[in-house]
Amino acid sequence: MAQNFQLETPGLSKEIIENARNIHAAKGDGIVDILIQQKAIAETDLLQAMSSQFGVPFVADLSMENLNIDFTKQIPIQYLRKHKMVPLETPDDTLIAVNDPSDFQALDDLRHILGREDVQVILSTRAAILSAINMAYDLGQDSSEEFIQDMNGESPDSIISEIEETADLLDDTSDAPVIKLVNLLLSRAVKARASDIHIEPFKQSLVIRYRIDGILYNIMNLPKGIQSSLASRIKIMAKLDIAEKRLPQDGRIDVKIGDNAIDIRVSMIPIAFGERIVLRLLDKTGTIFKLTDLGIDLERLTVLHELIHSPYGIILVTGPTGSGKTTTLYAALSTINNPEINIITIEDPIEYQIEGIGQIQVNPKIDLTFANGLRSIVRQDPDVILVGEIRDKETAEIAIQSSLTGHLVFSTLHTNDAASTITRLIDMKMEPFLISSSVIAIIAQRLVRTLCPDCKESYTPGYESLASIGIETKMLENNKIYRSMKCPACMNTGYRGRTAIFEMMVLNDDLKKVILKTSDANQIRSEAIKSGMSTLMHDGARKVLEGITSIEEVYRVTGM
């Protein structure tokens, strides 16, 4: 097939096709994969062109409503993922979705296994096919109730066996029920977009909760007898001491779940009824956001672009844990990242690898702290430095000195708003004149849940609701206010996904004068508002008027 591969589309020259043939002959990779990996043509454009050539329909989004998982008992998941094909049921027929219609042999083999030689073929994207495969095999695993039944009478020694930490959990065929249960908890958490898994022991039960879009939801209650086995399994995966149950332990697990590489931070602490476990999930395959994706309005986006291109100074991003500070900083770094400047970061942890940027992982065990790492970074001739967090006076001093000697420094602090960041720095014994000379902007942010587009409904809120976040009645003339409802698409929460609200305080001359006179956050805040700063609540109100989120959500997050 590769030798006869011809495709008439403006995006592909004869040289590109010939090069793809040569790679196919040398390595055996599929022609479609080669062309997409080389970014010779967009995947959808290639599939649409192949749809015309082969007379096979192209379907971008595969429906999961009638997903029949019977095939998962006959066909190994590795086979389908390797050849990027998946059987699908429709009310009228069975289809096979493929990504490369030129892979005839694999397609014929699949037809033979299914016993359907005349089955219809459709084209779809790699992501859609892999998602369908993962969902089918996820649903094909035993339910948690079946796991619980299997575990009755089993001892920890008989059900715990270590698996390779980088193994794909969906490929794991171990029959040990506790292993299957842990794999189920992790794979379903990823599917539900959960950021954390909480395993909480109580007197009579073991409660599993997922944090989704910042809110904890009860997922299932397990029998108390499973607790010890489950904790031991997680300790083995995280390479912790399974015999130690009296002291807190921290570890990490690297796994693959489907097509996602997941970094899991494990925290275990002893409480009255056993060990409480929290697993923080970080999808390392996630894409890095651009500044335009963060939800910043055009006026402030223009200001932010100017700030991140400053030759020197400190830009601080503040907010509680999990408020998206690192995402904002990565978006800023990816915007200014180019071969002409040297960017070095020191982080804990490194959440995403960015091409062209030197990233250092904090390691307290060998005394590689933020302060010590920062001292070394400034000797590496950097133009831009990112310090994951300013935690102490020493780190703050070095960051300020670095900015005053011609470096642009990005960092984070845990404060409630932009103005109180100045107070916090002064509490850390930083001189006000150094703060006013080095800090050029402070950005406070929070994450608010976005309304589910499938079930949100417009309504007319009462005066008190509007006033709670500073919306006046006249603002409703050209805008609609929406509220959350419930539907299966949002797991009956009314919300799907999150966006950020921002408070950007740029230090102008007037603000610097106030900082030199006082450390009172209220006075600094008042002066910043006079200078045009839009507060977190005002930005939240703007997103309510745009139909992005609800009044209740903004009030919950800003709490003012």
Side-chain angles (χ1 to χ4, degrees):
M1 171 61 205
Q3 297 302 318
N4 301 319
F5 186 90
Q6 298 294 334
L7 201 57
E8 295 184 8
T9 178
L12 292 177
S13 64
K14 291 181 179 179
E15 291 77 11
I16 292 173
I17 294 292
E18 186 62 33
N19 184 46
R21 282 190 193 138
N22 294 336
I23 295 173
H24 171 80
K27 298 183 178 180
D29 295 346
I31 293 289
V32 171
D33 278 347
I34 295 167
L35 293 173
I36 292 171
Q37 286 169 9
Q38 292 185 336
K39 298 182 179 179
I41 185 172
E43 183 182 16
T44 52
D45 293 340
L46 177 60
L47 291 175
Q48 285 169 348
M50 297 185 84
S51 173
S52 300
Q53 176 172 322
F54 289 92
V56 177
F58 170 59
V59 180
D61 298 315
L62 300 177
S63 172
M64 304 295 171
E65 291 182 6
N66 301 288
L67 189 62
N68 188 331
I69 61 173
D70 290 344
F71 67 85
T72 60
K73 299 174 183 176
Q74 301 173 270
I75 307 164
I77 187 173
Q78 300 95 323
Y79 180 82
L80 295 181
R81 291 225 301 257
K82 177 182 177 182
H83 296 287
K84 298 177 188 65
M85 53 177 61
V86 62
L88 297 170
E89 290 282 335
T90 71
D92 305 316
D93 202 358
T94 299
L95 306 172
I96 296 178
V98 302
N99 186 242
D100 187 350
S102 67
D103 193 356
F104 295 126
Q105 184 61 54
L107 184 57
D108 288 343
D109 291 344
L110 184 57
R111 283 174 167 151
H112 181 71
I113 293 169
L114 294 173
R116 298 287 302 273
E117 301 297 334
D118 59 341
V119 66
Q120 184 184 352
V121 176
I122 61 173
L123 289 181
S124 191
T125 62
R126 180 177 184 272
I129 290 172
L130 290 175
S131 177
I133 293 170
N134 293 339
M135 181 175 289
Y137 282 84
D138 190 10
L139 293 173
Q141 298 185 42
D142 296 336
S143 69
S144 58
E145 289 79 9
E146 290 172 321
F147 292 150
I148 293 163
Q149 293 169 8
D150 287 344
M151 292 178 70
N152 289 338
E154 296 279 350
S155 67
D157 291 338
S158 67
I159 59 177
I160 296 175
S161 62
E162 187 170 358
I163 61 170
E164 183 65 25
E165 68 172 9
T166 55
D168 188 332
L169 296 185
L170 295 179
D171 287 346
D172 185 17
T173 56
S174 173
D175 291 329
V178 72
I179 293 177
K180 294 164 71 179
L181 178 57
V182 171
N183 295 353
L184 179 75
L185 292 176
L186 293 175
S187 60
R188 290 195 174 172
V190 172
K191 181 180 169 185
R193 300 176 294 104
S195 61
D196 301 84
I197 303 172
H198 290 238
I199 302 171
E200 303 172 359
F202 294 97
K203 188 173 183 179
Q204 302 292 341
S205 66
L206 188 66
V207 176
I208 309 295
R209 297 200 289 173
Y210 288 171
R211 186 178 294 279
I212 302 170
D213 292 334
I215 304 296
L216 279 169
Y217 297 96
N218 276 16
I219 301 300
M220 64 178 76
N221 289 344
L222 302 176
K224 185 73 173 173
I226 293 176
Q227 179 180 325
S228 178
S229 302
L230 189 60
S232 295
R233 174 64 196 151
I234 292 171
K235 285 178 183 178
I236 285 176
M237 294 177 74
K239 290 183 166 46
L240 300 176
D241 183 356
I242 62 171
E244 181 57 74
K245 299 181 181 180
R246 302 163 300 168
L247 295 173
Q249 294 193 75
D250 294 317
R252 61 181 293 177
I253 307 169
D254 287 316
V255 295
K256 284 192 295 181
I257 300 178
D259 209 34
N260 300 323
I262 308 294
D263 180 18
I264 304 171
R265 297 297 166 123
V266 181
S267 173
M268 310 185 80
I269 59 170
I271 61 172
F273 301 110
E275 290 178 286
R276 191 180 191 280
I277 306 169
V278 175
L279 309 176
R280 168 151 288 189
L281 279 60
L282 176 67
D283 188 347
K284 294 192 289 188
T285 56
T287 55
I288 296 173
F289 286 97
K290 299 177 181 177
L291 286 176
T292 50
D293 299 329
L294 301 180
I296 307 175
D297 61 273
L298 185 58
E299 182 181 345
R300 287 191 293 177
L301 188 61
T302 304
V303 174
L304 185 55
H305 266 286
E306 292 177 2
L307 290 169
I308 65 175
H309 286 91
S310 301
Y312 55 84
I314 299 179
I315 297 174
L316 295 172
V317 181
T318 77
T321 301
S323 60
K325 300 186 296 295
T326 304
T327 299
T328 298
L329 289 175
Y330 277 177
L333 288 185
S334 63
T335 301
I336 62 175
N337 184 21
N338 68 71
E340 297 173 2
I341 63 173
N342 181 20
I343 304 176
I344 305 180
T345 76
I346 179 161
E347 308 170 58
D348 185 23
I350 296 172
E351 296 192 12
Y352 299 102
Q353 279 80 37
I354 308 177
E355 189 71 27
I357 293 178
Q359 296 173 271
I360 302 170
Q361 169 70 56
V362 166
N363 189 347
K365 292 180 181 178
I366 57 172
D367 203 29
L368 179 53
T369 60
F370 280 117
N372 291 339
L374 190 49
R375 280 196 193 91
S376 300
I377 286 174
V378 295
R379 293 193 287 270
Q380 287 277 314
D381 184 32
D383 298 294
V384 178
I385 301 169
L386 183 147
V387 185
E389 183 183 345
I390 293 178
R391 295 179 179 173
D392 52 41
K393 177 185 177 183
E394 192 178 10
T395 308
E397 284 177 341
I398 303 169
I400 286 176
Q401 291 301 325
S402 300
S403 70
L404 293 175
T405 53
H407 303 95
L408 180 61
V409 180
F410 293 92
S411 192
T412 70
L413 268 174
H414 287 212
T415 57
N416 290 328
D417 59 17
S420 59
T421 304
I422 302 294
T423 308
R424 174 74 190 282
L425 288 171
I426 292 173
D427 285 344
M428 293 169 72
K429 308 302 181 186
M430 295 298 102
E431 294 291 346
F433 74 90
L434 287 176
I435 297 171
S436 61
S437 301
S438 59
V439 178
I440 58 176
I442 301 170
I443 303 166
Q445 70 178 74
R446 298 286 190 281
L447 292 179
V448 293
R449 292 180 294 170
T450 53
L451 289 163
C452 174
D454 294 338
C455 65
K456 69 178 183 180
E457 69 169 17
S458 61
Y459 77 114
T460 304
Y463 172 78
E464 290 184 357
S465 294
L466 292 172
S468 68
I469 61 167
I471 296 178
E472 298 177 8
T473 308
K474 63 181 181 182
M475 296 180 183
L476 302 182
E477 293 176 2
N478 299 314
N479 298 284
K480 284 185 177 180
I481 304 289
Y482 290 86
R483 61 184 169 191
S484 62
M485 300 301 286
K486 293 181 180 180
C487 74
C490 58
M491 297 178 61
N492 293 316
T493 64
Y495 298 91
R496 198 163 71 199
R498 289 189 288 179
T499 190
I501 56 175
F502 295 92
E503 178 176 286
M504 191 182 301
M505 187 173 84
V506 180
L507 271 68
N508 57 23
D509 290 340
D510 292 335
L511 259 177
K512 289 177 181 179
K513 290 176 184 176
V514 173
I515 292 169
L516 290 172
K517 292 177 182 177
T518 179
S519 62
D520 187 329
N522 291 326
Q523 291 186 39
I524 296 170
R525 179 185 177 85
S526 298
E527 183 59 41
I529 292 172
K530 285 181 189 176
S531 300
M533 182 183 79
S534 177
T535 65
L536 286 166
M537 185 175 284
H538 289 154
D539 194 35
R542 180 177 65 84
K543 287 182 168 61
V544 169
L545 292 170
E546 291 174 358
I548 296 171
T549 189
S550 67
I551 292 174
E552 294 78 13
E553 181 66 6
V554 171
Y555 189 78
R556 178 185 72 84
V557 170
T558 57
M560 297 177 182

